[in-house]
Amino acid sequence: MTTSSARTFVPEIFSETVQMSQTQMNQTTSDHASTFDALCQTFRDAAKLSTTADLLEWDERTGMPRGGAEYRAEQVAHLRGLVHTLQTAPVIEEQLASLADWDAASDPHSDIGATLKCLADDYRRQCKLPSDLVQRTASCCVRGQGQWDAARKADDYSMFQPVLDEMLALKRETGELLKTDDQTVYEALLDEFEPGAKAAALTKTFADLRTELVALISEIKESPRQVDTSLITQKFPIEAQRAFSHVLAEAIGFDFNRGRLDETSHPFCTTIGPSDCRILTRYEPNFLPTSIFGTLHEAGHGLYEQGMRDDWFGLPPGSYASLGIHESQSRMWENLVGRTLPFWEHFTPQIQTHFPSELGQATAAELHRCFNSVSPSLIRVEADEATYNLHIIVRFELEQALISGELSTDDLPVAWADAYEQVIGVRPPSAADGVLQDVHWSAGLIGYFPTYTLGNLAAAQLYDAAKHSLGDIDSMVREGNFAPLRNWLVENVHQIGRTRTADELVEQASGKPLSAEPLIQSLRTRYSQVYDLN
Amino acid sequence: MTTSSARTFVPEIFSETVQMSQTQMNQTTSDHASTFDALCQTFRDAAKLSTTADLLEWDERTGMPRGGAEYRAEQVAHLRGLVHTLQTAPVIEEQLASLADWDAASDPHSDIGATLKCLADDYRRQCKLPSDLVQRTASCCVRGQGQWDAARKADDYSMFQPVLDEMLALKRETGELLKTDDQTVYEALLDEFEPGAKAAALTKTFADLRTELVALISEIKESPRQVDTSLITQKFPIEAQRAFSHVLAEAIGFDFNRGRLDETSHPFCTTIGPSDCRILTRYEPNFLPTSIFGTLHEAGHGLYEQGMRDDWFGLPPGSYASLGIHESQSRMWENLVGRTLPFWEHFTPQIQTHFPSELGQATAAELHRCFNSVSPSLIRVEADEATYNLHIIVRFELEQALISGELSTDDLPVAWADAYEQVIGVRPPSAADGVLQDVHWSAGLIGYFPTYTLGNLAAAQLYDAAKHSLGDIDSMVREGNFAPLRNWLVENVHQIGRTRTADELVEQASGKPLSAEPLIQSLRTRYSQVYDLN
């Protein structure tokens, strides 16, 4: 795969169109072509700046000296402001208008058609936001993450509350500007991450899922065959965890020539260029799953980024379909592949080598059981698959109440603790283990959490479709042969980009509209095996 | 020290001026003040973008995945292009013109006066360069460094030659555009790094220095008391070298809350923000001085950056006077402090702790002798102080010939080897140890090398001045008390910024114009001690 070059801003497919039009001596198409080219160049330039801002943020969260925070906020805000200026240049509206009658764009799922449709949607959206608001939000994000990090370390919610108030005010302002007549302010924010998602529909789906999960968790609780996790709660040397994380990411196909793996307090994946994808994980000395499944999760995101079409980098055909679809890729590798018995049948010899004194005698079956133990817990990123979505439901409800003003930040820590007690059955003893556990709100990501559960739903449905197409994936995984699944995902998900919406993509790949059924089935099968349910 | 904030763009001194003018109800001064404010804001914005480009380059040279190089070049070029656009905006010319009669600017050494003078000079210079040339050069720099790195590793000059040709053509184009009637193309390039420097004058100074150095080296060669360096050419664990480098940088005052120390193949120092200065060093398993003196050198640069005035960040009073002055700061800590006996009297216990099996029995006197051994060698960055300037003289002559076209890149490797044989008495056996050893030409730094020798001259003269003012610096160094010297430098060099030219700064601090005498004296004293010269 080659990267795009500054001087090659005509995507391949488009060059063909240009050639065709020249052959046919069709002057209008040629005009259209050069207008389209100019339009794309603006967004390619914007991508250069926004990926640079992403590097500023990656650096801020990996190695920036403490003193650098204040100026870093200015740098990021300035760059995000420039991106916004580019993306809302009035010439874009003219270009879009003059391309409205272009034949090459008539199919909204073609590269050109989807590009014009998505850019028009994005443009209308972006134009509603004044540059000043975008810059103030970017600046608040950088300061917010610094203050969140400090507050979490000090276990002191009061250090975080002022910047959370500031962020909520900015997000309410944003939502008011973006919302259409049939949207709430919260839905307008949600729409930014999961285009077309409706809070009411989500509430219904999440309620169904909650009923099923509560039933499943109750069955698991009553099972006579409980899981002893002492094997994975020993002291594991960080250096060995680091090495094993690298092995796992590389084995499933993450390309280290085009990416890297680092450490941070709240794992994430970011893309600095078409061949520069960075994943970050976290190492807990006494809990091995944190690094293993954190790495598989982020590497899943990384595979999506590395699987996209480089020649369309920065444009809709080379972008992700939605955050829910992005999350489906991380969840698939983390859970549907990474927590299976065949996966551990393959990796047991390697984990034994990396942790000889801790796991030298461990069997695949033991590890598989440990990695699938269900136990209501406080921290979302460490939650088992059965309770995970309940963590999301709590956040989904709280952030709606925060945005509507129904809940004040004064009352948030107690509301959080109450919700955890009621929904998950555990009450956080501290803010660090409660409301301060996630970076999202401080990073301006309000309306983002629901995409995690949407991702779980899509992951299960896409995995079923892959199995249907590829046959016995379990055998392939047992042999460490991850290429067939990865290639299926490249073809059916990664290279689709934004030429399909999330719903369209899932339906095209699986033949069915997105539903909760595959996820429920998948969890029931897995836990029946581990907990001997009937 | 606090960092500047996006909304506080009126430097302290300037606020006072504004207040004064308001008290006096002087409307003209208030107009001037707001024009000056707007002018400064443009350059503060440019600094946000250029420091961001610096981070892109820092990342490229520390941890960027290999595949990221091509897109990285586009990102850097795009940002440098934006900076150039900002710095050459026609409004600047208008603002400068309308400030020409401002009383507050009448003293060219005041903050406001120097700001206007320097910005006017820079503006005239920048306007001569088309944006396209700036972008092409930036892109060539990024590719050039990648290809230089690969060529050096492969010891294959032919991998590097095409990009060197491209760079030379770009630099000739640049020099032709910049040069004034009394300058050669090479002098125009030199002027960018050392304003006002003349090739003819340098040639003369360098010739004098060469004569003295050749005599000194010959005396050293004939000395019956030669240095045995086996103590410092043992195998030194990299991890311990890393730790000791950190100790040294911190001890002399490099602030790790406002900076970091990393590893790279060609050490440098870069500033990402007023409180984010990054120094990089290199670890040789079998040659301890590389990391020790590399670190002291870069930390010296870092102290200069950290000692500047934050409230003028991105503007002349908060910038360095010239590259020669920058180099004087690194050379002072590396050589005039770091290679002295008192320095090693202080650090011997610590070096013994870090390398117990290698240096557990070493004495300060032994280390001091080892670190001052003179031996003509191939690699500039590892050269002893006596021969160092001869390495510069070779490059100074070759790069003038390359730019004038007198020497073609086909003949460069042989010309390099011949010059080394003639001037230094050693002939490189390979390109990696010869013409491929330095990053500079691939990074577009043609006309830069002479600043190293100018830095050595200024370092010796400024150190003499500090001694004159502070008294017995040796005793302070012996106690590990580096603050008096550092504070003297902050006051007499760092905080001067660009309110003085290099020559003015040296003369103001030392009471004399810059001359070669202090350096020659300093070298003669040091080596007389080590080699028992008379």
Side-chain angles (χ1 to χ4, degrees), chain A residues 3-6 51 59 63 66-67 70 74-75 257 260 272 278, chain B residues 3-6 51 59 63 66-67 70 74-75 257 260 272 278:
Chain A
T3 58
S4 60
S5 140
T51 51
D59 179 74
R66 265 212 311 272
E70 199 177 338
E74 295 183 34
Q75 291 168 314
N257 283 322
R260 48 180 290 158
I272 313 298
R278 304 189 178 192
Chain B
T3 59
S4 61
S5 140
T51 51
D59 179 76
R66 265 212 312 273
E70 198 177 338
E74 295 182 35
Q75 290 169 314
N257 283 322
R260 45 181 292 157
I272 313 299
R278 304 188 178 192

PDB file of all heavy atoms in Angstrom, chain A residues 3-6 51 59 63 66-67 70 74-75 257 260 272 278, chain B residues 3-6 51 59 63 66-67 70 74-75 257 260 272 278:
ATOM      1  N   THR A   3       1.404   5.519   0.281  1.00  0.00           N
ATOM      2  CA  THR A   3       0.730   6.683   0.856  1.00  0.00           C
ATOM      3  C   THR A   3       0.475   7.696  -0.243  1.00  0.00           C
ATOM      4  O   THR A   3       1.103   7.655  -1.300  1.00  0.00           O
ATOM      5  CB  THR A   3       1.621   7.348   1.920  1.00  0.00           C
ATOM      6  OG1 THR A   3       2.841   7.719   1.310  1.00  0.00           O
ATOM      7  CG2 THR A   3       1.903   6.405   3.057  1.00  0.00           C
ATOM      8  N   SER A   4      -0.433   8.596   0.028  1.00  0.00           N
ATOM      9  CA  SER A   4      -0.732   9.628  -0.961  1.00  0.00           C
ATOM     10  C   SER A   4       0.390  10.657  -0.966  1.00  0.00           C
ATOM     11  O   SER A   4       1.118  10.808  -0.002  1.00  0.00           O
ATOM     12  CB  SER A   4      -2.049  10.294  -0.625  1.00  0.00           C
ATOM     13  OG  SER A   4      -1.977  10.887   0.642  1.00  0.00           O
ATOM     14  N   SER A   5       0.534  11.338  -2.064  1.00  0.00           N
ATOM     15  CA  SER A   5       1.591  12.347  -2.149  1.00  0.00           C
ATOM     16  C   SER A   5       0.951  13.716  -2.313  1.00  0.00           C
ATOM     17  O   SER A   5      -0.146  13.849  -2.837  1.00  0.00           O
ATOM     18  CB  SER A   5       2.488  12.030  -3.347  1.00  0.00           C
ATOM     19  OG  SER A   5       2.850  13.200  -4.012  1.00  0.00           O
ATOM     20  N   ALA A   6       1.669  14.739  -1.866  1.00  0.00           N
ATOM     21  CA  ALA A   6       1.110  16.094  -1.889  1.00  0.00           C
ATOM     22  C   ALA A   6       0.680  16.495  -3.286  1.00  0.00           C
ATOM     23  O   ALA A   6      -0.240  17.274  -3.459  1.00  0.00           O
ATOM     24  CB  ALA A   6       2.144  17.083  -1.394  1.00  0.00           C
ATOM     25  N   THR A  51      -4.636  16.028  11.516  1.00  0.00           N
ATOM     26  CA  THR A  51      -3.772  14.941  12.007  1.00  0.00           C
ATOM     27  C   THR A  51      -2.584  15.506  12.783  1.00  0.00           C
ATOM     28  O   THR A  51      -2.085  14.868  13.712  1.00  0.00           O
ATOM     29  CB  THR A  51      -3.243  14.065  10.850  1.00  0.00           C
ATOM     30  OG1 THR A  51      -2.667  14.911   9.846  1.00  0.00           O
ATOM     31  CG2 THR A  51      -4.356  13.231  10.235  1.00  0.00           C
ATOM     32  N   ASP A  59       1.029  13.464  21.820  1.00  0.00           N
ATOM     33  CA  ASP A  59       2.232  13.827  22.566  1.00  0.00           C
ATOM     34  C   ASP A  59       1.865  14.311  23.969  1.00  0.00           C
ATOM     35  O   ASP A  59       2.538  13.982  24.948  1.00  0.00           O
ATOM     36  CB  ASP A  59       2.969  14.931  21.789  1.00  0.00           C
ATOM     37  CG  ASP A  59       4.228  15.414  22.480  1.00  0.00           C
ATOM     38  OD1 ASP A  59       5.223  14.671  22.452  1.00  0.00           O
ATOM     39  OD2 ASP A  59       4.218  16.506  23.067  1.00  0.00           O
ATOM     40  N   GLY A  63       4.181  11.992  26.413  1.00  0.00           N
ATOM     41  CA  GLY A  63       5.455  12.410  26.997  1.00  0.00           C
ATOM     42  C   GLY A  63       5.677  13.892  27.174  1.00  0.00           C
ATOM     43  O   GLY A  63       6.767  14.310  27.578  1.00  0.00           O
ATOM     44  N   ARG A  66       5.269  18.401  31.889  1.00  0.00           N
ATOM     45  CA  ARG A  66       4.108  18.972  32.590  1.00  0.00           C
ATOM     46  C   ARG A  66       3.887  20.438  32.267  1.00  0.00           C
ATOM     47  O   ARG A  66       2.768  20.888  32.047  1.00  0.00           O
ATOM     48  CB  ARG A  66       4.311  18.842  34.096  1.00  0.00           C
ATOM     49  CG  ARG A  66       3.680  17.642  34.710  1.00  0.00           C
ATOM     50  CD  ARG A  66       3.232  17.933  36.131  1.00  0.00           C
ATOM     51  NE  ARG A  66       4.274  18.570  36.927  1.00  0.00           N
ATOM     52  CZ  ARG A  66       5.206  17.915  37.627  1.00  0.00           C
ATOM     53  NH1 ARG A  66       5.222  16.594  37.613  1.00  0.00           N
ATOM     54  NH2 ARG A  66       6.115  18.551  38.329  1.00  0.00           N
ATOM     55  N   GLY A  67       4.999  21.200  32.268  1.00  0.00           N
ATOM     56  CA  GLY A  67       4.893  22.647  32.052  1.00  0.00           C
ATOM     57  C   GLY A  67       4.333  23.038  30.695  1.00  0.00           C
ATOM     58  O   GLY A  67       3.924  24.176  30.490  1.00  0.00           O
ATOM     59  N   GLU A  70      -0.176  24.466  29.093  1.00  0.00           N
ATOM     60  CA  GLU A  70      -0.921  25.678  28.764  1.00  0.00           C
ATOM     61  C   GLU A  70      -0.707  26.095  27.308  1.00  0.00           C
ATOM     62  O   GLU A  70      -1.657  26.382  26.583  1.00  0.00           O
ATOM     63  CB  GLU A  70      -0.483  26.806  29.709  1.00  0.00           C
ATOM     64  CG  GLU A  70      -1.491  27.938  29.773  1.00  0.00           C
ATOM     65  CD  GLU A  70      -1.068  29.018  30.763  1.00  0.00           C
ATOM     66  OE1 GLU A  70      -0.261  28.713  31.675  1.00  0.00           O
ATOM     67  OE2 GLU A  70      -1.522  30.161  30.617  1.00  0.00           O
ATOM     68  N   GLU A  74      -3.094  26.145  23.513  1.00  0.00           N
ATOM     69  CA  GLU A  74      -3.162  27.202  22.496  1.00  0.00           C
ATOM     70  C   GLU A  74      -2.843  26.662  21.101  1.00  0.00           C
ATOM     71  O   GLU A  74      -3.466  27.037  20.116  1.00  0.00           O
ATOM     72  CB  GLU A  74      -2.165  28.319  22.817  1.00  0.00           C
ATOM     73  CG  GLU A  74      -2.475  29.051  24.099  1.00  0.00           C
ATOM     74  CD  GLU A  74      -1.485  30.189  24.327  1.00  0.00           C
ATOM     75  OE1 GLU A  74      -1.039  30.806  23.347  1.00  0.00           O
ATOM     76  OE2 GLU A  74      -1.144  30.437  25.499  1.00  0.00           O
ATOM     77  N   GLN A  75      -1.828  25.782  21.053  1.00  0.00           N
ATOM     78  CA  GLN A  75      -1.451  25.216  19.744  1.00  0.00           C
ATOM     79  C   GLN A  75      -2.604  24.404  19.154  1.00  0.00           C
ATOM     80  O   GLN A  75      -2.954  24.547  17.980  1.00  0.00           O
ATOM     81  CB  GLN A  75      -0.208  24.314  19.888  1.00  0.00           C
ATOM     82  CG  GLN A  75       1.073  25.076  20.209  1.00  0.00           C
ATOM     83  CD  GLN A  75       2.188  24.129  20.617  1.00  0.00           C
ATOM     84  OE1 GLN A  75       1.991  23.222  21.434  1.00  0.00           O
ATOM     85  NE2 GLN A  75       3.382  24.342  20.087  1.00  0.00           N
ATOM     86  N   ASN A 257       5.331  -1.199  10.967  1.00  0.00           N
ATOM     87  CA  ASN A 257       5.990  -0.261  10.055  1.00  0.00           C
ATOM     88  C   ASN A 257       5.108   0.959   9.810  1.00  0.00           C
ATOM     89  O   ASN A 257       5.572   1.983   9.315  1.00  0.00           O
ATOM     90  CB  ASN A 257       6.267  -0.915   8.700  1.00  0.00           C
ATOM     91  CG  ASN A 257       7.454  -1.843   8.781  1.00  0.00           C
ATOM     92  OD1 ASN A 257       8.430  -1.528   9.467  1.00  0.00           O
ATOM     93  ND2 ASN A 257       7.355  -2.978   8.111  1.00  0.00           N
ATOM     94  N   ARG A 260       2.551   2.466  15.892  1.00  0.00           N
ATOM     95  CA  ARG A 260       3.298   2.166  17.094  1.00  0.00           C
ATOM     96  C   ARG A 260       2.356   1.937  18.274  1.00  0.00           C
ATOM     97  O   ARG A 260       1.168   2.257  18.217  1.00  0.00           O
ATOM     98  CB  ARG A 260       4.360   3.226  17.399  1.00  0.00           C
ATOM     99  CG  ARG A 260       3.920   4.666  17.336  1.00  0.00           C
ATOM    100  CD  ARG A 260       5.095   5.582  17.658  1.00  0.00           C
ATOM    101  NE  ARG A 260       5.435   5.465  19.058  1.00  0.00           N
ATOM    102  CZ  ARG A 260       6.628   5.786  19.576  1.00  0.00           C
ATOM    103  NH1 ARG A 260       7.584   6.233  18.794  1.00  0.00           N
ATOM    104  NH2 ARG A 260       6.841   5.671  20.861  1.00  0.00           N
ATOM    105  N   ILE A 272      -2.147   9.591  12.719  1.00  0.00           N
ATOM    106  CA  ILE A 272      -1.370  10.793  12.426  1.00  0.00           C
ATOM    107  C   ILE A 272      -1.145  10.936  10.919  1.00  0.00           C
ATOM    108  O   ILE A 272      -0.737  11.986  10.437  1.00  0.00           O
ATOM    109  CB  ILE A 272      -0.014  10.749  13.172  1.00  0.00           C
ATOM    110  CG1 ILE A 272      -0.198  10.346  14.648  1.00  0.00           C
ATOM    111  CG2 ILE A 272       0.741  12.055  13.076  1.00  0.00           C
ATOM    112  CD1 ILE A 272      -1.044  11.288  15.474  1.00  0.00           C
ATOM    113  N   ARG A 278      -1.394   5.149  15.754  1.00  0.00           N
ATOM    114  CA  ARG A 278      -0.794   4.926  17.069  1.00  0.00           C
ATOM    115  C   ARG A 278      -1.827   4.398  18.056  1.00  0.00           C
ATOM    116  O   ARG A 278      -2.872   5.014  18.252  1.00  0.00           O
ATOM    117  CB  ARG A 278      -0.187   6.229  17.579  1.00  0.00           C
ATOM    118  CG  ARG A 278       0.809   6.746  16.536  1.00  0.00           C
ATOM    119  CD  ARG A 278       1.628   7.887  17.002  1.00  0.00           C
ATOM    120  NE  ARG A 278       2.551   8.224  15.921  1.00  0.00           N
ATOM    121  CZ  ARG A 278       3.586   9.036  16.054  1.00  0.00           C
ATOM    122  NH1 ARG A 278       3.829   9.584  17.228  1.00  0.00           N
ATOM    123  NH2 ARG A 278       4.376   9.273  15.032  1.00  0.00           N
TER     124      ARG A 278
ATOM    125  N   THR B   3       3.811  30.514  31.645  1.00  0.00           N
ATOM    126  CA  THR B   3       3.753  30.525  30.184  1.00  0.00           C
ATOM    127  C   THR B   3       2.777  31.609  29.743  1.00  0.00           C
ATOM    128  O   THR B   3       1.942  32.049  30.504  1.00  0.00           O
ATOM    129  CB  THR B   3       3.257  29.168  29.654  1.00  0.00           C
ATOM    130  OG1 THR B   3       1.965  28.946  30.220  1.00  0.00           O
ATOM    131  CG2 THR B   3       4.190  28.064  30.039  1.00  0.00           C
ATOM    132  N   SER B   4       2.934  32.010  28.496  1.00  0.00           N
ATOM    133  CA  SER B   4       2.030  33.028  27.976  1.00  0.00           C
ATOM    134  C   SER B   4       0.680  32.390  27.688  1.00  0.00           C
ATOM    135  O   SER B   4       0.577  31.202  27.488  1.00  0.00           O
ATOM    136  CB  SER B   4       2.611  33.624  26.707  1.00  0.00           C
ATOM    137  OG  SER B   4       2.758  32.619  25.739  1.00  0.00           O
ATOM    138  N   SER B   5      -0.357  33.168  27.695  1.00  0.00           N
ATOM    139  CA  SER B   5      -1.690  32.639  27.435  1.00  0.00           C
ATOM    140  C   SER B   5      -2.228  33.240  26.153  1.00  0.00           C
ATOM    141  O   SER B   5      -1.879  34.350  25.771  1.00  0.00           O
ATOM    142  CB  SER B   5      -2.599  32.993  28.603  1.00  0.00           C
ATOM    143  OG  SER B   5      -3.880  33.367  28.147  1.00  0.00           O
ATOM    144  N   ALA B   6      -3.104  32.483  25.488  1.00  0.00           N
ATOM    145  CA  ALA B   6      -3.601  32.914  24.174  1.00  0.00           C
ATOM    146  C   ALA B   6      -4.227  34.298  24.263  1.00  0.00           C
ATOM    147  O   ALA B   6      -4.218  35.058  23.308  1.00  0.00           O
ATOM    148  CB  ALA B   6      -4.627  31.928  23.658  1.00  0.00           C
ATOM    149  N   THR B  51       6.212  26.005  16.033  1.00  0.00           N
ATOM    150  CA  THR B  51       6.585  25.050  17.091  1.00  0.00           C
ATOM    151  C   THR B  51       5.859  23.725  16.889  1.00  0.00           C
ATOM    152  O   THR B  51       6.380  22.668  17.237  1.00  0.00           O
ATOM    153  CB  THR B  51       6.264  25.604  18.495  1.00  0.00           C
ATOM    154  OG1 THR B  51       4.907  26.059  18.535  1.00  0.00           O
ATOM    155  CG2 THR B  51       7.196  26.738  18.871  1.00  0.00           C
ATOM    156  N   ASP B  59       9.164  14.356  16.472  1.00  0.00           N
ATOM    157  CA  ASP B  59       8.533  13.034  16.449  1.00  0.00           C
ATOM    158  C   ASP B  59       9.111  12.181  15.322  1.00  0.00           C
ATOM    159  O   ASP B  59       9.368  10.992  15.496  1.00  0.00           O
ATOM    160  CB  ASP B  59       7.025  13.220  16.254  1.00  0.00           C
ATOM    161  CG  ASP B  59       6.273  11.901  16.181  1.00  0.00           C
ATOM    162  OD1 ASP B  59       6.078  11.289  17.247  1.00  0.00           O
ATOM    163  OD2 ASP B  59       5.885  11.496  15.075  1.00  0.00           O
ATOM    164  N   GLY B  63      10.289   8.743  17.232  1.00  0.00           N
ATOM    165  CA  GLY B  63       9.518   7.505  17.262  1.00  0.00           C
ATOM    166  C   GLY B  63       8.542   7.283  16.135  1.00  0.00           C
ATOM    167  O   GLY B  63       7.797   6.309  16.148  1.00  0.00           O
ATOM    168  N   ARG B  66       8.227   4.040  10.478  1.00  0.00           N
ATOM    169  CA  ARG B  66       8.915   4.243   9.188  1.00  0.00           C
ATOM    170  C   ARG B  66       7.976   4.684   8.075  1.00  0.00           C
ATOM    171  O   ARG B  66       8.288   5.584   7.299  1.00  0.00           O
ATOM    172  CB  ARG B  66       9.589   2.938   8.760  1.00  0.00           C
ATOM    173  CG  ARG B  66      11.021   2.817   9.131  1.00  0.00           C
ATOM    174  CD  ARG B  66      11.794   2.001   8.110  1.00  0.00           C
ATOM    175  NE  ARG B  66      11.124   0.743   7.772  1.00  0.00           N
ATOM    176  CZ  ARG B  66      11.278  -0.395   8.457  1.00  0.00           C
ATOM    177  NH1 ARG B  66      12.071  -0.437   9.507  1.00  0.00           N
ATOM    178  NH2 ARG B  66      10.650  -1.491   8.090  1.00  0.00           N
ATOM    179  N   GLY B  67       6.815   4.002   8.004  1.00  0.00           N
ATOM    180  CA  GLY B  67       5.870   4.281   6.918  1.00  0.00           C
ATOM    181  C   GLY B  67       5.322   5.691   6.913  1.00  0.00           C
ATOM    182  O   GLY B  67       4.766   6.142   5.919  1.00  0.00           O
ATOM    183  N   GLU B  70       6.472   9.813   4.344  1.00  0.00           N
ATOM    184  CA  GLU B  70       6.028  10.568   3.176  1.00  0.00           C
ATOM    185  C   GLU B  70       4.936  11.577   3.547  1.00  0.00           C
ATOM    186  O   GLU B  70       5.005  12.752   3.176  1.00  0.00           O
ATOM    187  CB  GLU B  70       5.509   9.596   2.112  1.00  0.00           C
ATOM    188  CG  GLU B  70       5.428  10.224   0.737  1.00  0.00           C
ATOM    189  CD  GLU B  70       4.988   9.225  -0.327  1.00  0.00           C
ATOM    190  OE1 GLU B  70       5.147   7.994  -0.101  1.00  0.00           O
ATOM    191  OE2 GLU B  70       4.472   9.673  -1.357  1.00  0.00           O
ATOM    192  N   GLU B  74       4.578  16.038   3.955  1.00  0.00           N
ATOM    193  CA  GLU B  74       3.481  16.911   3.516  1.00  0.00           C
ATOM    194  C   GLU B  74       2.952  17.773   4.651  1.00  0.00           C
ATOM    195  O   GLU B  74       2.646  18.952   4.471  1.00  0.00           O
ATOM    196  CB  GLU B  74       2.322  16.074   2.982  1.00  0.00           C
ATOM    197  CG  GLU B  74       2.649  15.305   1.730  1.00  0.00           C
ATOM    198  CD  GLU B  74       1.446  14.542   1.215  1.00  0.00           C
ATOM    199  OE1 GLU B  74       0.319  15.044   1.333  1.00  0.00           O
ATOM    200  OE2 GLU B  74       1.637  13.421   0.713  1.00  0.00           O
ATOM    201  N   GLN B  75       2.862  17.153   5.845  1.00  0.00           N
ATOM    202  CA  GLN B  75       2.362  17.911   6.995  1.00  0.00           C
ATOM    203  C   GLN B  75       3.298  19.069   7.340  1.00  0.00           C
ATOM    204  O   GLN B  75       2.868  20.201   7.542  1.00  0.00           O
ATOM    205  CB  GLN B  75       2.227  16.985   8.214  1.00  0.00           C
ATOM    206  CG  GLN B  75       1.110  15.964   8.098  1.00  0.00           C
ATOM    207  CD  GLN B  75       1.186  14.901   9.193  1.00  0.00           C
ATOM    208  OE1 GLN B  75       2.273  14.359   9.454  1.00  0.00           O
ATOM    209  NE2 GLN B  75       0.074  14.599   9.820  1.00  0.00           N
ATOM    210  N   ASN B 257      10.597  19.670  34.350  1.00  0.00           N
ATOM    211  CA  ASN B 257       9.172  20.000  34.317  1.00  0.00           C
ATOM    212  C   ASN B 257       8.837  20.788  33.059  1.00  0.00           C
ATOM    213  O   ASN B 257       7.676  20.930  32.694  1.00  0.00           O
ATOM    214  CB  ASN B 257       8.781  20.863  35.526  1.00  0.00           C
ATOM    215  CG  ASN B 257       8.669  20.025  36.771  1.00  0.00           C
ATOM    216  OD1 ASN B 257       8.186  18.892  36.714  1.00  0.00           O
ATOM    217  ND2 ASN B 257       9.128  20.568  37.880  1.00  0.00           N
ATOM    218  N   ARG B 260      12.339  17.675  28.168  1.00  0.00           N
ATOM    219  CA  ARG B 260      12.619  16.249  28.258  1.00  0.00           C
ATOM    220  C   ARG B 260      13.895  15.915  27.497  1.00  0.00           C
ATOM    221  O   ARG B 260      14.388  16.708  26.708  1.00  0.00           O
ATOM    222  CB  ARG B 260      11.444  15.373  27.826  1.00  0.00           C
ATOM    223  CG  ARG B 260      10.728  15.770  26.544  1.00  0.00           C
ATOM    224  CD  ARG B 260       9.582  14.811  26.263  1.00  0.00           C
ATOM    225  NE  ARG B 260      10.094  13.497  25.928  1.00  0.00           N
ATOM    226  CZ  ARG B 260       9.420  12.356  26.041  1.00  0.00           C
ATOM    227  NH1 ARG B 260       8.189  12.374  26.484  1.00  0.00           N
ATOM    228  NH2 ARG B 260       9.971  11.213  25.694  1.00  0.00           N
ATOM    229  N   ILE B 272       9.279  23.320  21.697  1.00  0.00           N
ATOM    230  CA  ILE B 272       7.895  23.101  21.255  1.00  0.00           C
ATOM    231  C   ILE B 272       6.970  24.139  21.874  1.00  0.00           C
ATOM    232  O   ILE B 272       5.830  24.300  21.458  1.00  0.00           O
ATOM    233  CB  ILE B 272       7.441  21.669  21.640  1.00  0.00           C
ATOM    234  CG1 ILE B 272       8.496  20.613  21.268  1.00  0.00           C
ATOM    235  CG2 ILE B 272       6.113  21.322  21.029  1.00  0.00           C
ATOM    236  CD1 ILE B 272       8.804  20.528  19.804  1.00  0.00           C
ATOM    237  N   ARG B 278      13.005  20.326  24.263  1.00  0.00           N
ATOM    238  CA  ARG B 278      13.393  18.921  24.173  1.00  0.00           C
ATOM    239  C   ARG B 278      14.830  18.770  23.689  1.00  0.00           C
ATOM    240  O   ARG B 278      15.186  19.290  22.637  1.00  0.00           O
ATOM    241  CB  ARG B 278      12.433  18.185  23.243  1.00  0.00           C
ATOM    242  CG  ARG B 278      11.016  18.387  23.758  1.00  0.00           C
ATOM    243  CD  ARG B 278      10.000  17.562  23.057  1.00  0.00           C
ATOM    244  NE  ARG B 278       8.702  17.828  23.689  1.00  0.00           N
ATOM    245  CZ  ARG B 278       7.615  17.113  23.495  1.00  0.00           C
ATOM    246  NH1 ARG B 278       7.653  16.078  22.692  1.00  0.00           N
ATOM    247  NH2 ARG B 278       6.506  17.426  24.112  1.00  0.00           N
TER     248      ARG B 278
END
